[in-house]
Amino acid sequence: MALQAPEGTKDLLPDESKFWTYFKATAAEVFGRFGYVPIETPLFEQTDLFVRGIGEATDVVSKEMFTAVSGQNLETLLGGGTIKAKSRLSLRPEGTAGVVRAVVQHDLVPQGAAPAKLMYAGPMFRAERPQRGRQRQFNQVGVECLGAEDPSVDAESIIMLMRFFEAIGIPVESMRLLVNSMGCDVCRPAYRDAVRSYMDAHADELCDECKRRAETNPLRAFDCKNSGCAAVMAHAPKITDHLCGDCRDHYGTVKQYLVGEGLSFEEDPKLVRGLDYYTRTVFEVQVTEGMGSQNAIGGGGRYDKLAEEVGGRPTPGFGFALGYERCVIALEAAGYEFPRAQRCDYFVACVDDSVRPEAFSLVQAARNAGLTVEMDHQHRSLKSQFKLADKLDADQVIVLGPDELAAGTVTVRNMATHEEYAIGLAAMKSLLSRFGNQPFDGDFSSMLKSASEE
RNA sequence: GUGGCUAUAGUUCAGUUGGUUAGAACGCCAGAUUGUGGCUCUGGAGGUCGUCGGUUCGAGUCCGAUUAGCCACCCCA
């Protein structure tokens, strides 16, 4: 049997690979306007980083990580032995932990420095059961702003993400922006206790899973889809009523900034992120149409304690990630037309094999001038070559045949207007030789046309 | 990790109660007189029916296993 891609992975075929490149470029452009610069961190890190950063009890860390073992270490483990911490590696399940680790390691935010604004794009890995909008290897674009705790960072990040979604073509009316504040380590423990007591008082109305959650992580019960639990939790204490003064002010200012920029959002006291590092502001962007049950295309929040957690000095941070594949689903649902990857400016057609050497040389000359040019490589009929040119969406077809060769010319056909004219082969090559080996950004067609009229 | 559904040409799918050389559409290739695309017409190529095993005189069709996909739970982007 032919081998196939592993469960939950997907090949990005040319059309989509090209779109992914465009997607990243658009993100770099939009985020660049907000001062973000790129960073690339390893696809795997010490398992310990994720355990400490994301949280040992989170689903992501406790059951969804791909752990990597190199060479002999596997034998050691299978033999019941132990390996050093630095040899325990995991494929990154998300991007924030690695970036914060790099910031700490290279001291990218020295004391008193301006915040570091970093962006990344690449694959993440989680050993989950695949479904619509969920793969085991998937691509994320994310940003992290470290070194500033002002609410303006939260607000501009959220605004920036919405601007990106608009720029890439997701209809504004199909998106829902949810925001919440999770408090800090001053107010959250008290709130957590309040929720736990509330849940204990209503234990007989909760599902088994939620009874367990009451002990381990009561806030997660807000996410339970069980209708009984949802009814109970709807009346549970709300975090927004339990924030400390500083957190309430912070959250209030974030909302003021958002309102001031005309961004519509919904406050959702039940929005609880599943990663332990979040503090204060958290948010999520959902798409309402065509997404299946994985409808969050982006989300993130503030993590003021994470840098310390991985061994750095106290450095407040804010970041978000967005899922490329989910954005593609949202775009498909919105009827977005993805551009074809393969196309060309010029197609050089050969009437018969006698002109192939001359055609070959012309094609290379045009490519050297920065044009995208293709020719037939299968000795197809002239008619077929035109069909191919049409399929490649060529603007012009240059026909080279025995007649042209004898006259020292080529025939140029504009595929859109059907207009044809002749130009000297030498004149054309001389025109091409004036341009360097870089993308051509002029109107070569009209230059060629006017050269033919001299 | 749990549950449900699915697997037939490159793609989307038909395939009657198990019965001869497995079909369609689109796509692909080639023609429709002499060197020219998109539309139309004609013809052609392409499938050991996901894989392995079983039941049967006979399996695309029934059973089991396996692999993968989809959907949901869970969780997250």
Side-chain angles (χ1 to χ4, degrees), chain A residues 44 71 140-141 173 176 256 273 292 308 373 383 393 401 422:
Chain A
F44 58 88
Q140 282 190 342
V141 175
E173 63 275 12
R176 286 210 312 161
Q256 273 174 29
R273 309 263 82 202
E308 292 163 73
V373 186
K383 186 191 192 73
D393 197 24

Side-chain angles (χ1 to χ4, degrees), chain A residues 298-313:
Chain A
R302 179 161 283 285
Y303 46 86
D304 290 339
K305 298 294 173 189
L306 180 55
E308 292 163 73
E309 203 62 55
V310 303
R313 76 169 68 83

Side-chain angles (χ1 to χ4, degrees), chain A residues 14-192:
Chain A
D15 284 350
E16 204 187 335
S17 182
K18 183 131 184 176
F19 185 73
W20 169 226
T21 302
Y22 165 74
F23 191 91
K24 286 185 285 188
T26 304
E29 195 279 316
V30 173
F31 300 162
R33 297 205 296 258
F34 287 75
Y36 283 82
V37 291
I39 184 171
E40 299 212 18
T41 62
L43 298 194
F44 58 88
E45 298 271 358
Q46 286 187 30
T47 302
D48 217 33
L49 170 67
F50 301 122
V51 171
R52 286 162 62 186
I54 301 171
E56 188 157 20
T58 60
D59 283 11
V60 168
V61 166
S62 64
K63 53 190 195 193
E64 296 174 1
M65 283 210 293
F66 280 102
T67 288
V69 181
S70 62
Q72 292 205 311
N73 288 323
L74 179 59
E75 303 299 325
T76 306
L77 284 174
L78 289 175
T82 55
I83 58 177
K84 294 177 183 166
K86 70 167 190 178
S87 299
R88 287 200 296 272
L89 307 170
S90 289
L91 297 181
R92 61 183 189 189
E94 56 95 57
T96 301
V99 170
V100 171
R101 190 227 79 226
V103 165
V104 169
Q105 181 176 338
H106 304 285
D107 201 15
L108 297 183
V109 189
Q111 278 190 319
K117 291 180 158 185
L118 303 165
M119 58 169 291
Y120 59 86
M124 305 297 164
F125 307 84
R126 291 184 199 172
E128 302 179 272
R129 190 77 172 267
Q131 68 181 85
R132 184 171 178 80
R134 193 169 79 183
Q135 300 166 205
R136 292 160 82 101
Q137 175 176 340
F138 58 101
N139 289 296
Q140 282 190 342
V141 175
V143 307
E144 313 296 344
C145 175
L146 284 117
E149 63 178 340
D150 195 84
S152 57
V153 169
D154 309 41
E156 78 164 22
S157 299
I158 295 172
I159 290 164
M160 177 171 86
L161 179 58
M162 299 312 284
R163 293 288 172 267
F164 169 75
F165 285 142
E166 288 166 31
I168 205 71
I170 297 175
V172 177
E173 63 275 12
S174 74
M175 291 188 286
R176 286 210 312 161
L177 170 60
L178 306 176
V179 300
N180 189 25
S181 174
M182 297 184 65
C184 61
D185 48 6
V186 172
C187 47
R188 187 145 41 141
Y191 171 66
R192 195 190 308 253

Side-chain angles (χ1 to χ4, degrees), chain A residues 200-346:
Chain A
D200 287 345
H202 295 78
D204 50 336
E205 302 164 55
L206 295 171
C207 69
D208 293 345
E209 178 77 22
C210 284
K211 282 176 199 155
R212 199 161 46 243
R213 282 172 173 146
E215 298 314 311
T216 56
N217 192 349
L219 302 192
R220 292 238 60 85
F222 283 110
D223 272 351
C224 189
K225 301 291 192 295
N226 183 302
S227 58
C229 299
V232 172
M233 297 310 291
H235 299 98
K238 291 186 169 40
I239 178 71
T240 35
D241 297 331
H242 288 72
L243 294 177
C244 65
D246 287 347
C247 285
R248 191 161 46 239
D249 290 348
H250 185 98
Y251 186 41
T253 308
V254 171
K255 287 186 287 184
Q256 273 174 29
Y257 277 130
L258 295 182
V259 169
E261 292 305 307
L263 219 57
S264 59
F265 61 89
E266 300 166 39
E267 285 189 69
D268 182 2
K270 299 192 302 302
L271 179 64
V272 182
R273 309 263 82 202
L275 309 180
D276 283 355
Y277 53 63
Y278 285 116
T279 54
R280 292 191 166 170
T281 314
V282 292
F283 76 104
E284 181 168 298
V285 181
Q286 300 180 347
V287 167
T288 47
E289 302 279 309
M291 292 299 291
S293 64
Q294 309 301 325
N295 64 350
I297 57 174
R302 179 161 283 285
Y303 46 86
D304 290 339
K305 298 294 173 189
L306 180 55
E308 292 163 73
E309 203 62 55
V310 303
R313 76 169 68 83
T315 310
F318 189 98
F320 63 71
L322 58 100
Y324 164 73
E325 286 80 5
R326 291 188 187 174
C327 287
V328 169
I329 292 172
L331 288 168
E332 282 170 348
Y336 181 88
E337 288 207 19
F338 294 84
R340 296 279 316 256
Q342 203 186 6
R343 64 161 309 282
C344 68
D345 302 324
Y346 285 78

